[in-house]
Structures are given as structure tokens and as C-alpha cells.
Amino acid sequence: MPATTNGASVSVWMDTAQVPARPPLPGDLDVDVCVIGAGIAGLTTAYLAARAGRSVAVIDALGIGAGETGRTTAHLFPPDEWYASIEDKFGQANARLVAESHARAIDLVESIAAQEHIACEFERLDGYLHALPGNGLHDLEKEYACAARAGVPVELLPRVPGLPFDTGPALRFAGQAQFHPLKYLAGLAAAIERHGGRIFGGTHAHRVRGDARQQTVSTGHGEVRAGAVVLATHTPFNDRVVMHTKQAGYRTYVVGMEVPRGSLPRILLWDTGDPYYYVRLESPEGLAHDILVVGGADHKTGHDDHPEHRYDEIERWTREHFPQAGRVAYRWSGEVMEPSDGLPYLGRNPMDDENVYLITGDSGNGMTYATVGAMLVNELIAGRDHPCYALYDPSRKPLHGLADFASEQARTMARYGEWLTGGDVDSVQEIAAGEGAVVRDGLRKIAVYRDAQGGLHAVSAKCTHLGCAVHWNSAERSWDCPCHASRFDIEGNVLHGPAPEPLEKVELQEGGAPPPRSPRAGMRGRNVR
């Protein structure tokens, strides 16, 4: 299990896998490819590059699987953006390309697990999309027709078989899959190293600079010089604006509940809701029961300071539909990056040199699209074309979903008005143990957390990306930015980009009062405003 993770909650994957930590970068290094991020996107990219004979270094600020891969539900299933929507927006030919890329990604995960002897519980099974009451059959019929035109093996059924409730009409997608994501990453990391690659944990990348010949990645432990750099950090940290106006971060919540072993069919299940519920089974070794994994209740990052009620909503829904559900064994949350037009951004980083690549915009299909991205980027590094290059190109214009895109940007800009409002509380004395709150101090705001022993941890509330005021997340004990989904721990360290640097630390006086500020400091604050 990673020594450091990006939140307080623990997923079933963290609890049932050991992922050995890697040491930090020992100093300067020269390689063909530097991959930033040790989740499924980064490690798959590194594996394919190393297998092709390239020298590879992977660096990660936390550790292998300590980001969003360890917080997924590890479905390998059809795109969150339905085929009907993809066909409407991008055309029938591109819908077929999406379907083919998904199929190739699942095949690749299966083949890597087999070839490298990774015991990651990879399992082929059927996926079912079922209609909610009132949604009607029409949407499913349209999705069925579009999926079939895209070449997807799909079947329209009156209900999902073997469940304790009547789902109503459903689509059956054959040949989908699931796996244990951290066991897969542990095996993938070992395979990378067998092929000559190197992996370094506890190494935060601060900056990427260079030219079309060579890029230099600066870290606190040295520099990595590489012919190509791949940003596999879930969202890029070296872009200030470009990509962050084209996607938005959402929190999604998962509950794992005990059910009798073998009492439910081994399938993937999701519904037509918005946000939807998604369901799978996990069977931990040595236990007499399965874990029913149910996710949903999404919301925009930083827009719910106390999201624990979302776990309660998922548990309530689960007990209503699965009466055999017993004890809640796990509760965790993760981050989803929603692209403005529904498809991920995979390829060359816009407004950057041609040898800087990114993989982002997972849209609820992180395991699949991360694998697609790794394949596509490796083709580009090798100087070869890829059939999906234009479709997934990060520099494409957001021609689809423009109304939602404009509305999203307007809501983001409105958040900057919070600098004119008061704090969450009037003084730090009002903050309970184990809680955090933002306190106003003149022209600035301070984010303060009180630990179980009463100690105060204070940092600037100003996000180091584009200056939004962070919000407290009581479920993960983190500071979350409501503008572009950066996240920080109680000491201000970056948990999730695009913020490139930690929050500035603030020293409090005895009793919790902020230190006095000089007139010059106050003037600087007014000038910045």
C-alpha cells in the first residue's frame, strides 16, 4: 500500500494489495522518455515504451497508485459518454473508432496481465446498462442502434438477469472486464523494471521546459532530461489555462458492502441516471463474503464541504435494491475529469513542444481511456500515426456541448467573488477537532485545520494554480479548489493538480491569531487585487 495517498479514505484496493514504495530520484538523469505520474496512464505508457527498447523514468509525487487509480472502481466498460451521444457529436465513423479503441484497451490489459504473469483478478464479464423508471425505452433503443452501428456486441433485453430487483429494459454489452487496479499496477511496475525502466516515488515535478529536441523536468531531487515527456498526472500541472477551460473535476463516491459469496451474478451494472449508479463485485482472498462495490452521487470538486451524506445516499440505494447487503466495509471517493465534449484528451500537449504529451479527461472511464492514451502516445513518440489521433487530440476545439462549456466557465469565474466574502467562521476557536475552515484575515483568507490533539495547521487559502479560494473537504480531510479541482492536504501539499506548488504556510500566534501584517504587506495585497 502506498505510504501516502491523496485523501483520508481507504478503498478496498488499498486494503487488499501491497504496492512497494520506490525511492525518490537520486539525482540528475538522462532518458528517452520521462513519465510524470505512476497511475495506470503513466505506468502503461512507461511499460510500452520500455518494452519497445526505450530508456524510461517514471516519477510521482506520492507513489505508485497513490492517486486516482487506487480510488477507481476499475470497470473496463463502454464509454460514459454513450455511443448515441458520440455519434450525434462526432459522427458514426468516430463512434466506431471509440468502440475499437475501448476494445483494444481491454485486450491490452488482458494481454499484459497474461504475458507478465500479473495476478490482478482480471475477469471478462458482461456489462448491463438499464433504464430508470420514467426514462423509457426510447433512450435504450437509440443507444442500442448506435452501439451496434459502432460494431459493439450489444443486445437489448427486457431486464438484467439474476438480480434481486427488476431493472426493466437493459442493454447487454458482452466481453467487458474488471480487475484489481493496484495489483495490476504492482505487477506493471515490476515489469517496467524488468524491461530496464526506473520508477521513483516521493518526487514532485515542478516544471517542464525545453525544446523539440530535449525536455528537462525539474524536481526537488534533481533534473530528468528526456527526448519526450508524458504528463500522466490525471490533469496537467504545466498548463495554467488551456486545458483547464476544457474540462472540470468532479468527486465521485463509492461504498463497499458485504454480501454472501456467490449471492449475486458477476456482472458490471450501471443505470441511465445523471449522475448514475455503477456496480460491480469484488471477492477478496480469504473472506467468506464478496464486496458489493457501488459508486455514484457525483458533484463538482470543492462544491460540497461535508459530502458524507453522499455515502449515506449510496448505502440507502444499495439496501433498497440489494437486500442481501450487510455491513459497510469501505467508503472512499475519487476524482473524475469531465471533458467539455465527452471524449478524453490524449496526445500532444497544446501550445507546447511536440515532444510533450498528456493523458487526461477520463470522463468516468479512467482505466480504459488511460490505456488508450498510453497506446496512442507511444505511437506518437515512435513517430507513427494513430487512427484516433485527431479524435482525441487535446488541441481540438470544443465544438460540441458549447452551452454546457460556457455555463461551466461562468460558474468558475463566479467563484473568484469569494475573495470578497467572509470566512467560514469568525475565528479559529470555532473550528472543532478533526475539522477545517477558512478564516478571513484582512485582505487574505487562511485555511486552518485543527487536529485531534488541538494543534492548528494553517495555510493560505489561495490555490497556487489560478488563485481561487480553496474549500474544506471533511470526508477526505483535504483543501479542494472549486475552480479547477486542485486538491491539497492539511499541510498544503499538492494531492491533485493542476496546482504546481503547495499552498503557502501561515504561522499562527499563540491562541490561533494570525501574525500582524506590515503596512507594506497590506499594500501588496491591495495591489494584487
Side-chain angles (χ1 to χ4, degrees):
M1 179 175 153
T4 307
T5 63
N6 67 345
S9 62
V10 175
S11 71
V12 63
W13 323 122
M14 298 175 189
D15 197 38
T16 56
Q18 293 295 320
V19 182
R22 265 56 173 188
L25 181 72
D28 292 355
L29 189 64
D30 290 275
V31 292
D32 296 328
V33 181
C34 177
V35 179
I36 306 173
I40 187 171
L43 292 192
T44 307
T45 302
Y47 171 80
L48 294 176
R51 199 173 68 178
R54 293 182 175 82
S55 59
V56 179
V58 181
I59 61 174
D60 194 286
L62 299 177
I64 295 171
E68 297 310 316
T69 302
R71 295 178 169 276
T72 179
T73 53
H75 290 61
L76 295 164
F77 71 152
D80 191 66
E81 188 81 359
W82 292 8
Y83 285 110
S85 178
I86 295 170
E87 183 179 301
D88 287 345
K89 293 177 179 179
F90 298 94
Q92 185 177 329
N94 281 326
R96 180 173 286 272
L97 284 178
V98 171
E100 291 172 353
S101 66
H102 270 245
R104 285 197 297 268
I106 297 175
D107 289 346
L108 180 63
V109 173
E110 184 175 32
S111 66
I112 291 174
Q115 292 170 16
E116 301 295 347
H117 307 288
I118 302 175
C120 61
E121 304 166 21
F122 181 90
E123 181 181 0
R124 288 278 186 174
L125 34 66
D126 292 337
Y128 293 89
L129 168 65
H130 73 93
L132 292 178
N135 285 42
L137 186 60
H138 174 74
D139 289 346
L140 284 185
E141 289 178 331
K142 182 178 179 181
E143 178 67 3
Y144 169 76
C146 293
R149 282 195 293 270
V152 176
V154 62
E155 182 181 4
L156 181 59
L157 302 176
R159 63 170 289 171
V160 178
L163 293 180
F165 67 100
D166 185 356
T167 61
L171 296 183
R172 172 181 172 267
F173 294 88
Q176 308 307 299
Q178 66 180 31
F179 68 138
H180 190 303
L182 290 188
K183 289 182 179 180
Y184 180 68
L185 288 197
L188 200 55
I192 290 167
E193 291 166 336
R194 284 196 300 272
H195 286 283
R198 303 176 69 182
I199 303 172
F200 304 100
T203 303
H204 178 70
H206 298 287
R207 183 182 176 192
V208 179
R209 69 189 190 281
D211 54 35
R213 184 184 63 85
Q214 178 179 278
Q215 296 291 325
T216 299
V217 180
S218 301
T219 81
H221 299 277
E223 294 186 338
V224 182
R225 293 174 290 271
V229 171
V230 182
L231 302 164
T233 52
H234 200 232
T235 189
F237 68 91
N238 66 327
D239 289 331
R240 298 295 286 181
V241 176
V242 178
M243 292 308 301
H244 311 298
T245 62
K246 301 168 79 169
Q247 61 180 0
Y250 284 77
R251 300 301 295 171
T252 187
Y253 297 82
V254 187
V255 172
M257 302 177 69
E258 296 175 355
V259 295
R261 182 64 60 93
S263 63
L264 291 171
R266 302 192 69 79
I267 61 173
L268 302 177
L269 181 72
W270 64 105
D271 62 40
T272 58
D274 183 18
Y276 63 86
Y277 287 99
Y278 45 100
V279 181
R280 63 161 287 187
L281 278 177
E282 169 63 7
S283 302
E285 295 180 12
L287 296 183
H289 55 262
D290 291 329
I291 299 295
L292 181 63
V293 177
V294 184
D298 302 7
H299 69 88
K300 198 168 185 294
T301 300
H303 288 232
D304 189 343
D305 294 358
H306 299 282
E308 289 85 353
H309 66 95
R310 297 176 186 272
Y311 293 125
D312 298 335
E313 292 167 11
I314 296 172
E315 180 184 348
R316 184 163 54 250
W317 181 91
T318 304
R319 294 193 186 282
E320 289 173 355
H321 292 81
F322 299 93
Q324 60 269 73
R327 182 180 72 93
V328 173
Y330 300 97
R331 289 182 169 192
W332 76 91
S333 68
E335 191 94 347
V336 174
M337 298 307 298
E338 286 288 352
S340 59
D341 60 12
L343 291 184
Y345 302 108
L346 316 171
R348 290 188 173 89
N349 192 30
M351 299 181 69
D352 215 327
D353 297 308
E354 287 196 352
N355 52 352
V356 179
Y357 306 88
L358 61 82
I359 300 172
T360 189
D362 57 332
S363 185
N365 295 94
M367 301 300 94
T368 313
Y369 278 137
T371 306
V372 173
M375 293 189 287
L376 189 154
V377 164
N378 269 278
E379 290 295 293
L380 297 181
I381 291 173
R384 296 188 292 265
D385 196 11
H386 189 281
C388 293
Y389 172 71
L391 179 62
Y392 295 139
D393 184 2
S395 65
R396 69 181 186 269
K397 303 297 183 184
L399 300 178
H400 311 287
L402 283 176
D404 291 341
F405 171 79
S407 177
E408 185 72 48
Q409 296 312 305
R411 287 194 295 270
T412 296
M413 293 304 297
R415 286 285 167 174
Y416 286 95
E418 292 182 3
W419 287 108
L420 303 176
T421 66
D424 301 328
V425 295
D426 292 331
S427 72
V428 297
Q429 281 73 28
E430 298 177 48
I431 303 173
E435 288 292 337
V438 172
V439 181
R440 174 165 286 285
D441 172 40
L443 294 176
R444 65 175 177 170
K445 286 186 172 183
I446 301 172
V448 183
Y449 171 75
R450 185 184 297 276
D451 62 33
Q453 291 73 42
L456 296 175
H457 306 255
V459 292
S460 168
K462 185 177 182 180
C463 178
T464 56
H465 175 225
L466 290 176
C468 261
V470 297
H471 287 205
W472 176 241
N473 178 339
S474 61
E476 295 294 350
R477 293 201 293 278
S478 63
W479 296 106
D480 297 357
C481 177
C483 289
H484 301 105
S486 296
R487 300 181 58 243
F488 308 84
D489 69 13
I490 60 172
E491 302 295 344
N493 299 308
V494 178
L495 297 176
H496 185 277
E501 299 295 339
L503 298 175
E504 180 185 355
K505 288 190 177 295
V506 175
E507 295 295 330
L508 298 179
Q509 295 179 311
E510 186 174 353
R517 309 189 76 200
S518 68
R520 288 184 58 83
M523 288 300 296
R524 283 198 300 270
R526 281 190 285 274
N527 288 338
V528 168
R529 285 175 52 103

